[in-house]
């Protein structure tokens, strides 16, 4: 499966932004999917995840309550909707998929999108 992330941009703190991850090649319905982010000089960190059947979601502590991960099977696309953005949310956001269980570890994902930059100005 190939993943294409989009939707990043420059936004002000306190506003909302939605990211998309469009898949091609195979249906995403058989994959666990997740969003990670990487700020300059920092390691890639888990943001949100969705199990292959959509029954389970997981969020990082910083994302919980502000971000929502979802999937549109008809569009073969995964979304990350982000509310109340903070300057600390500034990072390159990556979508990822694997054929196994959802994981918070980036090493468990073997399919990655190219990343989309989110910059939050305070």
């Amino acid at each position: 499966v190939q993943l294409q992330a989009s939707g990043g941009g420059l936004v002000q703190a306190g506003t909302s932004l939605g990211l998309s991850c469009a898949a091609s090649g195979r249906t995403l319905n058989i994959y666990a999917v997740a969003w990670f982010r990487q700020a300059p000089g920092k390691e890639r960190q888990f943001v949100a995840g969705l199990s292959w059947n959509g029954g389970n979601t997981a969020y990082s502590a910083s994302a919980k309550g502000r971000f929502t991960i979802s999937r549109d099977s008809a569009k073969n696309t995964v979304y990350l909707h982000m509310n109340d953005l903070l300057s600390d949310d500034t990072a390159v956001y990556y979508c990822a998929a694997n054929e196994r269980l959802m994981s918070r570890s980036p090493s468990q994902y073997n399919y990655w999108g190219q990343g989309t930059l989110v910059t939050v100005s305070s």
Side-chain angles (χ1 to χ4, degrees), residues 42-96:
K42 295 187 177 181
E43 294 185 350
R44 192 167 297 188
Q45 61 177 199
F46 174 82
V47 176
L50 181 66
S51 61
W52 70 270
N53 63 359
N56 292 307
T57 56
Y59 297 91
S60 66
S62 62
K64 194 170 185 178
R66 298 189 298 128
F67 295 3
T68 302
I69 186 172
S70 62
R71 174 166 53 201
D72 186 329
S73 297
K75 295 183 178 180
N76 212 25
T77 300
V78 174
Y79 302 97
L80 182 69
H81 187 73
M82 305 181 290
N83 290 325
D84 194 19
L85 284 161
L86 308 170
S87 57
D88 286 347
D89 295 320
T90 295
V92 176
Y93 284 72
Y94 299 89
C95 56

